[in-house]
Amino acid sequence: MTSSSSGSCRFADYFVLAGIDTDSGLEPDELSGENFDQSPLRRTFKSKVLAHYPQNVEYNPFDQDAVNMLCMPKGLSFRTQAESRDPQFHSFLITREDGSRTYGFVLTFYEEVTCKQICSAMQTLYQMHNVEQYSSIYASSSCSMDSLASSIDEADSTSLAKLQRYNSYDIGRDTLYVSKCICLITPLPFMQACRKFLLQLHKAVSSQQPPPLPLESYIHNVLYEVPLPPPGRSLKFSGVYGPVICQRPGLSELPLFDFPLREAFELLGLENLVQLFTCVLLEMQILLYSQDYQRLMTVAEGITALLFPFQWQHVYVPILPASLLHFLDAPVPYLMGLQSKEPNDRSKLELPQEANLCFVDIDNHFIELPEDFPQFPNKLEFIQEISEVLLHFGIPPEGNLHCSESATKLKNLVLDDLVNDKKNGNLTSNTINMYELLKGNETLARLQALAKRTGVAVEKMEIAPPPAAEKAKDTRCQCSEEELRDYKLTVQLREVFANRFTQMFADYEAFVIQPTQDMDSWLTNREQMQNFDKASFLSDQPEPYLPFLSHFIETQMFATFIDNKIVSLWEEKDPLLRVFDSRIEKMKIYSVRIPTLRTSNYQKCTVLKEAAQAIEQRLVKIDHTAIHPHLLDMKIGQGKYEHGFFPKLQSDVLSTGPTNNNRWANRSTTAQRRKDRLRQHSEHLALDNDLKEKYIQEARSIGKSLRQPKLSDLSPAVIAQTNWKFVEGLLKECRIKTKRMLVEKMGHEAVELGHGEANITGLEENTLIASLCDLLERIWSHGLLIKQGKSALWSHLLHYQESEEKREATVETPVASGPERRRSDSGLNLPTLRVSLIHDMRHVQHMSEIKTDVGRARAWIRLSLEKKVLSQQLKQLMFNQALIKKLYKRYAFLRCEDEKEQFLYHLLSLNAVDYFCFTSVFTTIMIPYRAVIIPIKKLSNSITTSNPWISVSGELGDTGVMQVPKNVLEMTFECQNLGKLTTVQIGHDNSGLLAKWLVDCVMVRNEITGHTYRFPCGRWLGKGVDDGSLERILVGELITPVVEEDLSKQCRTPPQLRSPTIARRLSITSLGGKTGKPNAGQIQEGIGESINNIVKHFHKPEKERGSLTILLCGEFGLVSALEQVFHHGFKSARLFQKNVFIWDFIEKAVTYFETAEEDEESQENLLQLKVCSATFCQYVNAITAAPRSIGKDGKLQLLVCLGARDHLLPQWIPLLAECPVISRMYEDGALLRDHAAVNSLIRVLQTLHEFNITLEASLVKGIDL
């Protein structure tokens, strides 16, 4: 996938031989972590590279330790004649520092041990082992044959006889065999060709007849005389017994991939494979697990090949040698393959981090997924399309391990038809009902149900014969039919996957932010730059895609893809990007899709046939043939053949190539060949400019320098250095993530305040918080020694809770909850909420909705973030030194003092913004609230004789009416999460002598998150006072808590200054004209502002709109803006010491309209006016008749809200302005008597017509219209 070795144009760089070194004898391989309880034949011993040719290739230096470790990841293994000794093939790859790769293909076989010392050493080991075994058995009480068998070797406790046969070695009776391997190291992954070549080489050694030429001739040929095929061409060269073919895709095709995808689908099944694919795209930690190295490699290479046009950017080790197990500690995304010792030993596998792990047990067809990750877009249609391709080739979509009867039935049916027909294997075109055939298949049954729901017809499907059985027209095809089928199937599956990305990212280029500076300055400032307009891109996508896409565009692979796009302005395009862009262009030419319109309609891949044909043509007509192997200038007597043993090769003929090293180039110096090689160079050359490469590497930083563990040197110093790099990487990632969260959120809050455009959505915020949770899990799992459950962070919290509870039990101190806050002069206040880590944990533990440790850890992080105590609480956790030492290794992040300080500092910065990430996610949990009513006059509460009540409403629901104990005026209540609080209704029953009550405000606090809301009132409740209201609707505001002293000491930054809460604007009448009244211009501006806020509200995505009530009834809301209009020029002189309210004017107008209707003579009004006045009267009367004790200002508020909801305000305003009553109650200069002002007010109010305004239930309770 990534660029291969720069300078190479030879098919193979090295031939390697590895095995036992008879000089050093048997050396146990401690690094492989084998235990000595195992019988000696089961132990691992050190292997060694015995020879490699040539000695060195300058563009691909030979790394002896790495090659040895990957050729024989388990070291040497021994067998006796009683055991199976079939040769095993596997491949590996080595990723270099710069990200380029080199591939290895290995055939391991067994050779008889001829060295007497090694045989007798094995015999001695057995005698010692048996003595130990028997002594331990006789020491234990039971001595039955069963326990004897099980203790000798647990793995094979079936029968003692079998045990003795397999697990014993007697020098007189048994022949000892040891593993040896031959390996080709190549710049490009031609897996099939290398496998064929190595198998033929092995056959030459094991067959009775010597090969036609000495083995040196074939090895020399493959090393020096076989070139790489140019792009778009095929090549044939000679193995020992027959031709070997390889072909390479052209520059406009998908990049070279030579592993059979069929195997990956058979091993995992389609559903599992798509889930794994999604995890890889979201850069989770992926651990593949299998007994077979080649399976690990096939799945790893297969899944990364399907990522096109993206590339995996993190640690990639498809075969993790036993000596590198500590690498599972890596706190970065990784894709690693681990060899299992025996079937089903998953339980014994202790993994430091599992919170974000996708565990793939290949042999058992099983996949363990991380919690709640988003599904791939159009997943069901995608699976349906892939199943069609698989079925076309006779492969069951659910994989081969649990091969269902239906799938076998399908295969047999197709084969029977082939046998019976006489048309060279072309089936008659009869359609068969595929679902009749596949009744047992659960995946397809689900798909069919989906298809029926969505109205897609998929009942009949043509079952094509497996392509292997196509006409014998192409007998010239140079490879076996099965290989051709595999090639075709692989390329068609890859095309289906590639087509998904072409469809999903068809318009990506429009959102790339083009740089204004030159390349060098762009590269140096890369980290600070935004290079993709994420918010606009997401707003352009179909709704169902968003959960996946919002996560995906945050990944390193997407960032690198966009970086490559920008770098292509100055440099030659990255090969993958070039192919991808050309596909998008092609699609846009052929497609009728309007580029600006995004739909989630599924579009199938249309190029399957062409892709398969391109490969078939190359395989039918071979473009190049390499020179045949020939006799070399060897010394007499060398290269002699001994049956069953791989010969000692003659190094002088293999260490250098022929004198004219480019024989094939000389044979074809045509311009075409030269062009081919230039193209091939452009495809594979890494960039020359070292400095630029360094910048790009740094720019794509996190975890990137650690893409490949260093295999050669495993000294403690190197391991420590690697871990140090991890610590630095984690810190850097923390800095970038917190900065991003801050910038996005502050940008959003600035918009709320009216500055500029928003660039974060709730979805994006959720994605960023999820990725912070993932980062914390990775930090907590780095260097972990002891863990319970799957979450490293929650495990640490539990240990902390346990130690704190023990401490509390021994000390029995009174609860230190900080000084109780003094009851303030205003009467009452809320008691201080205790901030305690254990407290928050208990809240989370009581949430029955969360079933797992990973879920609890995430909930706790969200809660701490919302309470702005994340940094403070993690500090408590991280500075409990005794606990940290007990739980973590020395090199762990949590034991690096300076880095911890910086980490906490970055997290502290998040306190600058408000999150509701706990409240808004856990919407169904029960939450305790505390409410306090604060009266204005001292003691006025104690002399209220009536019974007060309140009802609290939030974005998610309301409490209903609750009675408040009258002498306390404070209550706690529990109800389902109300979300952000919006309004409080407060009232009393007017009973007793002292029923008048002056309320300052109501305070309500969420006892879990600590969010406190103030609902200002500042008015009387009571008959015959103020506007005669017995109940009021109060609109809330979230108040910033005063940071307590002890907290501010712990924080490095000074506590935030508390912004003064805006005192509720009292009704203008009650101010009695003492303060300056706003002028006409200010009033009109206020109206414009309030309408503008409502329009903005409706332009936000639905989930992020917040409360409409505040925009209608709150400070600067529509109601208060219209109140100002009505108050302008209002004659509010006290008549007989009684206040006159706007509502009085409304009521007089209604009386006028009702009498005017009866009075026939004033009937010159138009019909429309009549209808208008009728609805106006209907609404006013409904409000007056409502069984609620709201005052005159409350009634006016209600009228405005209902008028806005039903789009009637623009009709009512001119009605009132024309009404004769106005001249009696308004001065001449009043806004309502100014025609121009009234007309502009009507125009502004009409902008609300396009919106569907819904009112909170608490506002319209009891109104019957």
Side-chain angles (χ1 to χ4, degrees), residues 903-945:
F903 163 75
L904 290 168
Y905 179 73
H906 292 315
L907 287 183
L908 187 65
S909 66
L910 295 176
N911 289 4
V913 289
D914 294 324
Y915 281 104
F916 289 89
C917 49
F918 180 84
T919 310
S920 59
V921 167
F922 301 104
T923 52
T924 56
I925 60 172
M926 297 301 285
I927 289 186
Y929 292 90
R930 181 184 292 265
V932 177
I933 299 168
I934 300 175
I936 284 182
K937 285 189 178 165
K938 278 189 186 174
L939 303 174
S940 73
N941 58 326
S942 56
I943 48 176
T944 300
T945 53

Side-chain angles (χ1 to χ4, degrees), residues 14-18 49 51-53 62 67 71 181-185:
Y14 294 100
F15 177 82
V16 182
L17 192 62
V49 170
H52 67 278
Y53 309 103
F62 189 75
V67 171
C71 278
C181 73
I182 45 178
C183 163
L184 277 179
I185 289 181

Side-chain angles (χ1 to χ4, degrees), residues 315-478:
V315 176
Y316 181 64
V317 193
I319 296 174
L320 188 68
S323 52
L324 286 184
L325 276 183
H326 64 273
F327 230 80
L328 290 173
D329 226 5
V332 289
Y334 57 66
L335 202 168
M336 300 203 231
L338 188 61
Q339 200 236 9
S340 53
K341 299 284 185 296
E342 61 217 48
N344 309 325
D345 67 350
R346 160 76 175 107
S347 49
K348 297 178 193 158
L349 190 65
E350 291 206 355
L351 299 168
Q353 45 201 342
E354 296 171 89
N356 221 32
L357 181 74
C358 172
F359 181 81
V360 184
D361 186 343
I362 299 175
D363 302 340
N364 292 312
H365 203 75
F366 165 74
I367 175 169
E368 211 174 281
L369 293 162
E371 283 176 33
D372 54 51
F373 71 98
Q375 294 299 331
F376 192 70
N378 295 108
K379 182 179 156 193
L380 286 166
E381 294 97 319
F382 185 41
I383 285 181
Q384 165 76 28
E385 184 180 5
I386 303 168
S387 347
E388 284 170 18
V389 175
L390 290 170
L391 285 165
H392 181 77
F393 286 86
I395 310 274
E398 67 274 34
N400 239 359
L401 280 171
H402 304 311
C403 194
S404 67
E405 284 174 50
S406 59
T408 329
K409 196 157 86 182
L410 165 67
K411 261 191 177 164
N412 296 344
L413 185 118
V414 173
L415 294 174
D416 289 349
D417 264 355
L418 291 179
V419 175
N420 299 341
D421 90 320
K422 301 287 177 283
K423 303 191 200 70
N424 289 333
N426 284 334
L427 278 181
T428 48
S429 63
N430 58 333
T431 56
I432 54 179
N433 189 326
M434 154 179 163
Y435 287 105
E436 281 306 303
L437 197 66
L438 291 168
K439 275 209 171 117
N441 183 323
E442 47 183 307
T443 312
L444 287 175
R446 288 215 302 280
L447 285 169
Q448 189 186 14
L450 172 92
K452 271 188 182 153
R453 282 206 306 282
T454 50
V456 183
V458 285
E459 279 303 308
K460 298 267 188 280
M461 174 191 169
E462 304 236 349
I463 295 270
E470 275 169 16
K471 265 191 199 158
K473 62 176 190 303
D474 287 333
T475 41
R476 294 171 299 148
C477 184
Q478 302 285 334

Side-chain angles (χ1 to χ4, degrees), residues 108-124:
T108 307
F109 52 94
Y110 285 88
E111 259 186 14
E112 189 180 325
V113 179
T114 49
C115 171
K116 288 282 177 282
Q117 285 92 328
I118 287 177
C119 294
S120 49
M122 184 57 82
Q123 172 92 355
T124 312

Side-chain angles (χ1 to χ4, degrees), residues 66-280:
V67 171
N68 179 33
M69 206 178 266
L70 290 164
C71 278
M72 299 192 136
K74 280 191 304 194
L76 296 172
S77 75
F78 286 90
R79 301 273 161 98
T80 63
Q81 76 288 346
E83 296 168 277
S84 75
R85 301 185 304 284
D86 297 332
Q88 294 288 318
F89 172 81
H90 79 269
S91 29
F92 64 81
L93 63 86
I94 296 175
T95 310
R96 298 198 202 78
E97 295 280 310
D98 65 351
S100 64
R101 293 177 179 175
T102 185
Y103 291 83
F105 301 97
V106 187
L107 188 72
T108 307
F109 52 94
Y110 285 88
E111 259 186 14
E112 189 180 325
V113 179
T114 49
C115 171
K116 288 282 177 282
Q117 285 92 328
I118 287 177
C119 294
S120 49
M122 184 57 82
Q123 172 92 355
T124 312
L125 283 172
Y126 254 102
Q127 288 164 346
M128 288 159 64
H129 177 70
N130 290 344
V131 168
E132 279 169 33
Q133 285 297 319
Y134 283 97
S135 60
S136 67
I137 288 164
Y138 283 112
S140 66
S141 55
S142 77
C143 182
S144 68
M145 283 309 272
D146 286 351
S147 70
L148 175 74
S150 61
S151 54
I152 288 180
D153 189 345
E154 286 177 7
D156 266 330
S157 57
T158 45
S159 73
L160 194 60
K162 185 175 168 194
L163 234 157
Q164 285 169 334
R165 196 173 87 236
Y166 279 122
N167 276 334
S168 67
Y169 171 66
D170 179 336
I171 201 163
R173 183 191 66 209
D174 295 317
T175 315
L176 190 62
Y177 293 87
V178 67
S179 57
K180 182 178 248 180
C181 73
I182 45 178
C183 163
L184 277 179
I185 289 181
T186 64
L188 290 179
F190 290 113
M191 193 273 287
Q192 307 285 10
C194 291
R195 177 154 130 198
K196 212 175 256 185
F197 180 81
L198 292 172
L199 282 167
Q200 293 191 20
L201 215 51
H202 175 253
K203 187 178 167 193
V205 174
S206 53
S207 82
Q208 299 297 329
Q209 302 302 317
L213 292 169
L215 293 187
E216 281 86 346
S217 295
Y218 301 102
I219 294 167
H220 180 275
N221 178 252
V222 81
L223 283 178
Y224 302 110
E225 293 168 333
V226 178
L228 280 175
R233 303 300 174 88
S234 49
L235 169 82
K236 176 158 88 176
F237 64 93
S238 303
V240 184
Y241 296 109
V244 177
I245 314 291
C246 63
Q247 57 88 33
R248 183 168 169 190
L251 292 179
S252 62
E253 297 175 56
L254 293 173
L256 172 66
F257 174 71
D258 205 34
F259 292 80
L261 269 179
R262 169 185 55 79
E263 281 184 28
F265 278 86
E266 284 180 338
L267 288 167
L268 289 179
L270 173 51
E271 175 92 22
N272 281 344
L273 197 125
V274 170
Q275 295 286 51
L276 168 61
F277 174 66
T278 312
C279 289
V280 174

Side-chain angles (χ1 to χ4, degrees), residues 492 495 499 583 586 604-612:
Q492 292 196 351
E495 286 291 351
N499 177 55
R583 286 172 168 235
K586 200 163 154 189
K604 280 185 161 185
C605 181
T606 51
V607 295
L608 295 183
K609 228 178 188 158
E610 295 89 315

